[in-house]
Amino acid sequence: MMNRKSLSRNPLSFALATAMVFAASAPVFAQDSTTSTETKEEAAAKKKATDLSTVTVTGSRISRDVFNSVSPVQVVTREETTLAGFNSTAAALQSNSVTAGSSQINNSFGGYVTNGGPGANTLSLRGLGATRTLILLNGRRVAPAGSRGSVGSADLNVLPNAMVDRIEILKDGASSIYGSDAVAGVVNIITRKNVDGVEVEFQHNATESGGGDETRYSLVFGNTGERSHFSGSYEHYQRNEMTVGDRGWASCPTDNLRDMDVGNYFGSGDYIDPTTGKSKCFTLDSGGVTINTLGTATFGGANRWRPNPAVTTGRLPGYEAVGYYDRDTFDPGLLKESLVSPATTHTLFFQGGVDTGVMGDAEFYYEFLGNKRKSEQTGYRQLSYDYSVGNPLLGGLSTLPAFALPTETSNGQNVAARTFIGFGNDRSKQSVDFFRATAGLRGALSSEWNYDFMVSHARSDADYTFNSFLTDRLAQSLNVVSNGAGGFNCVNPANGCVAAPMLNAQTLAGNLPYAWKNFVYTSVTGNTKYQESTANLNVNGPLFDLPGGTAAGAFGIEYRRAKIDDTPSIESINRNLYNLTSSDPTRGSDSVMEAYGEIELPLLSGVTAAEELTFNASARYTDYKSYGSDTTWKLGGLWTPVKWLSLRASYGTSYRAPALFEQFLGATSGFLAASNDPCNNYGSRNPTTPRYINCASEGLPTTFTATNSVRVDSIGGGLVGANLKAETSDAFTVGAVFQPEFGSGFGDLSFAVDYYDIEVENGVAQMGASYILSTCYNGTTGDFAANNGVCRLISRSANNTLTVQNGYANLATDKVRGLDFTTRFVRDIGPGEFRANVQVSRFLEQSGKVFQDDPLVDSNGLINNPKFTGQLDLTYKFKEWRVRYGLNWVDDMSSYEYYEEDPATSAYDLSVPNYITQDFSVQYTADKWQATAGVRNFADKEPPTISPGAGIYNTIGNSPLYSGYDYFGRTFFVNLSKKF
């Protein structure tokens, strides 16, 4: 059983955290009054206002005119992202300064099955998942986009870059304000206003080691008149591919094992490659794949063979036996796989408004966002197929006996030989077209009350193409007869069938006839459409007077409808993609009607012990077509007893309606290794255990060895049994803001600390195939025999292939607790201004469980789940110059204790040290132009390493697959902009 005690901490972690909190502060600070959303953009445009007395902050629909708010908000400005060298909004949002080290789906996940499909970039706050983070553009929802059936989150690729003024991040539940999905927090991207004239911008990021370069060209334009305003942008962004071979640290993954009898260091237990005398790269446990190998029945204790013409005796002349470690597992094509996938995007954005002079001096406003993404990924393909007993293509090995029952390529015959061929690289491609159009009318209901009515429609249309072998054509090409001239013909010549090659050294080496490859290997294309429509009416204004000011309220109704339609290729639907995921169509829709209200009560202001005392309350009634109705609410308060101290707290409920793919995902197949079959070699177990008894009851021999992969079919929860219910969650935050006044000689110091506690119940999740198999086969023999419980989700075919149904259900509980520290210090030094910012996040708990009866499992501090992250940002501005130094820190992490391993003696490296990268940049600003240049990760810090052979974590090279680490290395950037 896994040990779930908290992990011991490295003293360096605490020392660094303490130093960063109390020394300076992060790139942004909570609730600066200069970084809040304007409430009357039309008035601001006409008057070209530079200072507003009333603003609206993300997390509330009510305007305020104070520095602080009830809920903490982090702000990232355009100036900061430019100085930091980010070349896209997606990169800025996925940085550790926003995510607090939570793992994100970015451009290094192209070879994995992820929601939104390959190439999509999503955002997860607090580690609770992208479907629990709401993305807004100018306060309005950004609809999901992407490819394949599991589209359910906003794709950050669609966001504009050049038009972004700032980003406000509310790390607090806000379903009562914004509706479903705002469980972990809300991100509001706010575009630039008051644009007059034309501005061009160019940015290029170049890596020192090659690969992964980014280039962006943009054009911003606008005009502000007396009764109308208009602005927009066009930008072209291109990211080049970075391959595994482009980075030395990724080019030779080893098992990185420790053998205490050989030496107390990692690598001492590795298999030594006799050709190099060093640890073997790309073993089967460290990213390699069996190639140039033949599988047969066992002869002389061996069942894997490699061509060797020097061998002239034995059961397989021309072949030598190979073991697990000395078989061929590396092909140069593995170095060509995408480490960072390439992409090209075109983004067009418009916004504007016209005063109508009617309906309360209403303004008609509009907004359009259009984006086209083309992305692709390079992978590597192994080809493994079966020759049947007596197949003439076996040549001199035609007398080989059977070692496996019929498979999908053996044409109903038992299997005599199995190939393991390195086929080479393949490519997956995506083309995603996204647009969102919004129009609305806002004006005055009276001298004090305002209204805002808007409608919006968004659509994502994606084609996804990849290469695959076709199962039926492979089988057809392997069913042959002699043509009488030393060659072979297909028994069934339909479709222009080309006979498969004979089994020989050239075939196993991957030297395959072009005509045959062209017959069995083809590209297939699917299409995904996602649509979302929204209508919203909101009114806001003063309610009544209180001792601390005027109470204000905001009330509204909203209707949303979403629809998904994913149609995979016909070959995928027909389960004809050989050894690849197959899928049924995903089709479904849902709609919701909501009513909400929010009030803010300024109870006291400017009196002893209460410079400000304000309470905020909000509630929302929701009625979904899919699961019914629900109510969420939130209460919060802000108390400023003295000018230099503010205390704030909030508690509320949130919910997340099941995403369309979680309800309607068509059966999608995947595969687990044959070793995951619980009955694999079960005879070695105690005969009294449930697993032994259950496997024997299936008629399997005690010597049973699984040779077929375990098939896993995922399916939407709305398609199996009752419809899914909404997730529910509770969120509690409490914090303090300190703004002591030490006099002008000291400078301005601000410090904020916020504690948060979010718990999600009834979470929509999949049980997981491994969990289902273990629970069934290790459970009671009665349930197994009666096919009860989770055993109903498992079936075993005649050839002993296991299939697991892994559907979505309301199962999970997730809980996160932590502390956010933010400090800002500003002081005039010499001819300029010095600004220091620090942001440190401390997770106290990151736990979850699948079923109610399960214990909570805390992953806090485990690899990819750091307890601490921090960012230091120092800038000095003098005259036209600005200089910046940045530091990014991810805490050390260890998984030893969790997996009950002794770090002093374990064979596996399951810990990573503190990871620190540093940035430097300089900026010059003239009247009409600006130039910024710098270097990210200027010390060229490489990601840390672990032991891939442990089989616990996905790795690139020996580094954990984790977005918190920099895979690019030292990167130089330049940004140039010019106004006309």
Side-chain angles (χ1 to χ4, degrees):
M1 183 174 178
M2 294 178 181
N3 192 320
R4 300 183 179 90
K5 293 186 292 184
S6 61
L7 302 177
S8 61
R9 306 306 303 149
N10 187 326
L12 176 61
S13 301
F14 285 113
L16 185 55
T18 303
M20 293 182 74
V21 168
F22 291 105
S25 185
V28 293
F29 186 71
Q31 298 304 96
D32 192 329
S33 61
T34 64
T35 56
S36 302
T37 311
E38 301 170 9
T39 54
K40 291 194 174 183
E41 296 162 348
E42 70 281 12
K46 289 185 291 183
K47 298 178 181 179
K48 299 184 180 180
T50 59
D51 180 46
L52 295 177
S53 60
T54 305
V55 295
T56 300
V57 176
T58 299
S60 173
R61 295 181 183 272
I62 297 174
S63 302
R64 294 176 53 86
D65 60 358
V66 297
F67 177 82
N68 303 304
S69 73
V70 172
S71 297
V73 176
Q74 176 184 346
V75 180
V76 179
T77 67
R78 172 179 175 78
E79 179 183 75
E80 290 163 347
T81 59
T82 300
L83 276 168
F86 294 119
N87 208 344
S88 68
T89 303
L93 286 173
Q94 291 182 329
S95 65
N96 287 334
S97 63
V98 173
T99 65
S102 298
S103 187
Q104 308 297 311
I105 300 301
N106 61 14
N107 303 303
S108 294
F109 284 76
Y112 296 83
V113 178
T114 58
N115 293 344
N121 282 240
T122 56
L123 181 65
S124 166
L125 293 179
R126 306 294 193 202
L128 290 174
T131 56
R132 294 171 180 161
T133 299
L134 180 60
I135 306 295
L136 306 175
L137 179 61
N138 291 324
R140 295 178 280 272
R141 287 170 170 263
V142 178
S147 61
R148 307 198 180 216
S150 297
V151 174
S153 304
D155 180 8
L156 305 181
N157 289 299
V158 309
L159 298 173
N161 303 292
M163 277 296 292
V164 173
D165 178 65
R166 65 188 180 279
I167 303 167
E168 296 181 354
I169 304 107
L170 171 72
K171 297 181 180 180
D172 190 11
S175 287
S176 60
I177 302 295
Y178 296 108
S180 183
D181 309 338
V183 175
V186 180
V187 174
N188 191 8
I189 296 95
I190 301 168
T191 57
R192 299 161 64 180
K193 306 299 189 293
N194 311 328
V195 177
D196 274 302
V198 176
E199 179 180 339
V200 295
E201 183 179 9
F202 164 81
Q203 180 162 334
H204 183 69
N205 291 38
T207 63
E208 182 177 74
S209 300
D213 289 5
E214 299 173 282
T215 304
R216 177 169 55 89
Y217 303 90
S218 65
L219 175 70
V220 176
F221 45 87
N223 178 263
T224 302
E226 291 186 2
R227 301 188 60 83
S228 66
H229 59 96
F230 166 82
S231 58
S233 64
Y234 165 77
E235 46 201 315
H236 172 270
Y237 168 83
Q238 181 172 328
R239 181 180 61 251
N240 296 335
E241 182 178 39
M242 184 167 71
T243 66
V244 170
D246 285 333
R247 294 296 178 268
W249 57 265
S251 300
C252 180
T254 65
D255 289 344
N256 199 30
L257 299 175
R258 176 168 57 184
D259 186 340
M260 298 297 293
D261 294 332
V262 176
N264 189 16
Y265 64 92
F266 290 105
S268 61
D270 290 355
Y271 174 80
I272 303 301
D273 189 337
T275 64
T276 64
K278 300 178 181 179
S279 297
K280 183 177 180 179
C281 304
F282 287 99
T283 68
L284 291 181
D285 290 332
S286 61
V289 60
T290 298
I291 60 174
N292 195 33
T293 302
L294 176 67
T296 69
T298 300
F299 303 113
N303 60 10
R304 294 291 185 271
W305 313 85
R306 177 170 55 202
N308 185 348
V311 178
T312 58
T313 59
R315 186 66 178 83
L316 278 79
Y319 292 87
E320 63 177 344
V322 290
Y324 188 80
Y325 286 105
D326 61 345
R327 69 184 65 177
D328 294 338
T329 55
F330 171 73
D331 183 290
L334 291 171
L335 298 179
K336 297 179 182 178
E337 288 189 281
S338 297
L339 175 53
V340 173
S341 59
T344 300
T345 63
H346 299 268
T347 307
L348 187 63
F349 178 79
F350 296 107
Q351 61 184 4
V354 178
D355 290 345
T356 64
V358 297
M359 299 181 65
D361 195 23
E363 178 196 38
F364 170 75
Y365 62 91
Y366 54 89
E367 188 176 281
F368 174 84
L369 173 64
N371 176 272
K372 184 177 187 64
R373 165 168 62 94
K374 288 187 178 293
S375 54
E376 60 183 48
Q377 300 80 37
T378 302
Y380 182 82
R381 182 66 59 84
Q382 178 207 53
L383 174 58
S384 176
Y385 62 85
D386 297 326
Y387 291 98
S388 59
V389 172
N391 194 310
L393 293 173
L394 289 171
L397 300 179
S398 60
T399 60
L400 283 174
F403 79 93
L405 293 174
T407 63
E408 52 192 356
T409 62
S410 67
N411 292 290
Q413 305 296 312
N414 288 339
V415 176
R418 178 167 294 164
T419 65
F420 298 92
I421 301 170
F423 189 76
N425 296 112
D426 64 353
R427 284 188 177 272
S428 299
K429 299 181 179 181
Q430 305 83 42
S431 177
V432 185
D433 295 330
F434 174 85
F435 82 87
R436 189 190 75 164
T438 300
L441 200 66
R442 56 189 167 203
L445 289 173
S446 65
S447 60
E448 296 181 313
W449 278 78
N450 302 305
Y451 70 90
D452 188 337
F453 173 75
M454 76 90 183
V455 293
S456 179
H457 180 72
R459 176 185 173 94
S460 171
D461 189 343
D463 289 329
Y464 52 98
T465 301
F466 55 94
N467 300 110
S468 177
F469 299 99
L470 301 183
T471 303
D472 59 354
R473 292 201 173 191
L474 273 172
Q476 182 184 354
S477 73
L478 286 162
N479 185 18
V480 301
V481 294
S482 173
N483 63 6
F488 299 92
N489 291 330
C490 300
V491 171
N492 176 11
N495 307 314
C497 181
V498 177
M502 287 192 65
L503 177 61
N504 53 40
Q506 289 298 307
T507 296
L508 291 176
N511 298 318
L512 305 170
Y514 176 80
W516 180 72
K517 290 195 295 184
N518 197 43
F519 175 69
V520 300
Y521 189 66
T522 187
S523 64
V524 295
T525 299
N527 176 264
T528 308
K529 293 183 175 66
Y530 194 102
Q531 300 181 65
E532 185 173 277
S533 300
T534 303
N536 177 280
L537 174 62
N538 181 79
V539 296
N540 64 84
L543 295 172
F544 47 83
D545 291 332
L546 289 171
T550 302
F555 308 93
I557 56 174
E558 182 167 301
Y559 173 81
R560 295 192 305 276
R561 186 179 188 276
K563 178 181 179 181
I564 190 172
D565 185 344
D566 174 62
T567 305
S569 73
I570 190 63
E571 304 294 353
S572 180
I573 295 172
N574 291 339
R575 306 295 190 267
N576 198 35
L577 303 180
Y578 185 61
N579 282 345
L580 276 185
T581 295
S582 296
S583 304
D584 288 333
T586 297
R587 297 189 178 112
S589 62
D590 203 358
S591 60
V592 58
M593 178 64 78
E594 298 177 301
Y596 59 86
E598 179 187 4
I599 59 172
E600 188 156 285
L601 305 174
L603 300 183
L604 296 173
S605 176
V607 299
T608 302
E611 292 292 330
E612 179 181 0
L613 179 61
T614 299
F615 285 97
N616 181 282
S618 58
R620 177 178 290 250
Y621 173 78
T622 300
D623 189 2
Y624 264 91
K625 180 180 179 181
S626 60
Y627 76 87
S629 60
D630 199 357
T631 301
T632 57
W633 55 269
K634 184 176 182 179
L635 298 175
L638 175 70
W639 176 37
T640 304
V642 291
K643 290 183 178 181
W644 54 268
L645 172 65
S646 293
L647 304 174
R648 58 191 176 197
S650 67
Y651 181 83
T653 62
S654 290
Y655 69 91
R656 184 179 74 86
L660 291 183
F661 75 87
E662 292 170 334
Q663 298 186 63
F664 304 111
L665 180 68
T668 302
S669 65
F671 298 92
L672 296 176
S675 58
N676 287 275
D677 188 329
C679 297
N680 186 48
N681 300 319
Y682 80 92
S684 61
R685 296 179 175 273
N686 187 327
T688 63
T689 62
R691 180 182 294 198
Y692 187 103
I693 296 171
N694 289 334
C695 290
S697 72
E698 292 187 295
L700 299 173
T702 56
T703 58
F704 172 71
T705 299
T707 58
N708 298 319
S709 300
V710 178
R711 175 174 170 148
V712 181
D713 286 340
S714 298
I715 191 169
L719 301 178
V720 286
N723 288 340
L724 295 174
K725 299 185 175 87
E727 297 178 349
T728 58
S729 65
D730 298 317
F732 170 68
T733 63
V734 60
V737 178
F738 300 89
Q739 299 170 304
E741 297 180 0
F742 295 113
S744 58
F746 179 83
D748 296 328
L749 175 67
S750 301
F751 174 76
V753 56
D754 290 285
Y755 168 82
Y756 59 88
D757 185 334
I758 304 173
E759 183 169 356
V760 179
E761 295 282 359
N762 211 33
V764 177
Q766 294 172 302
M767 280 184 274
S770 297
Y771 184 95
I772 294 171
L773 289 168
S774 176
T775 302
C776 173
Y777 277 88
N778 292 326
T780 64
T781 56
D783 283 344
F784 186 88
N787 200 31
N788 286 332
V790 296
C791 292
R792 290 175 294 181
L793 304 175
I794 301 173
S795 62
R796 188 182 291 273
S797 68
N799 70 347
N800 288 319
T801 297
L802 280 179
T803 299
V804 181
Q805 297 291 331
N806 185 30
Y808 285 94
N810 290 104
L811 300 167
T813 295
D814 293 290
K815 185 174 182 179
V816 292
R817 297 185 299 113
L819 293 163
D820 288 333
F821 303 93
T822 307
T823 308
R824 179 185 63 189
F825 176 70
V826 181
R827 187 180 188 278
D828 290 337
I829 299 178
E833 178 190 77
F834 171 75
R835 181 179 293 262
N837 295 308
V838 145
Q839 183 171 287
V840 171
S841 294
R842 166 65 159 108
F843 275 107
L844 300 172
E845 180 180 359
Q846 302 178 68
S847 62
K849 61 181 179 179
V850 178
F851 291 111
Q852 287 297 323
D853 295 337
D854 293 341
L856 279 170
V857 178
D858 192 358
S859 61
N860 196 31
L862 303 186
I863 292 174
N864 295 353
N865 296 277
K867 285 189 175 182
F868 280 99
T869 57
Q871 294 77 41
L872 169 67
D873 188 274
L874 306 177
T875 60
Y876 184 69
K877 181 181 179 181
F878 60 101
K879 297 184 179 180
E880 294 84 11
W881 294 90
R882 186 185 298 268
V883 179
R884 174 187 182 267
Y885 167 82
L887 182 146
N888 304 282
W889 166 54
V890 177
D891 192 17
D892 65 310
M893 294 171 273
S894 173
S895 298
Y896 281 116
E897 194 167 340
Y898 182 87
Y899 290 104
E900 297 184 332
E901 293 277 335
D902 184 351
T905 60
S906 175
Y908 301 109
D909 184 0
L910 294 177
S911 67
V912 292
N914 286 278
Y915 180 78
I916 297 174
T917 61
Q918 302 171 77
D919 310 324
F920 177 80
S921 61
V922 59
Q923 184 179 84
Y924 180 84
T925 303
D927 184 37
K928 293 290 186 179
W929 62 275
Q930 184 182 81
T932 307
V935 56
R936 293 181 56 79
N937 191 2
F938 66 71
D940 202 22
K941 180 73 172 180
E942 294 181 354
T945 60
I946 60 172
S947 298
I952 300 171
Y953 297 101
N954 292 318
T955 56
I956 296 178
N958 281 77
S959 174
L961 177 61
Y962 170 55
S963 62
Y965 296 142
D966 176 28
Y967 295 153
F968 291 90
R970 185 181 292 118
T971 301
F972 303 93
F973 67 90
V974 60
N975 179 287
L976 303 172
S977 63
K978 178 73 168 68
K979 296 179 180 179
F980 298 93

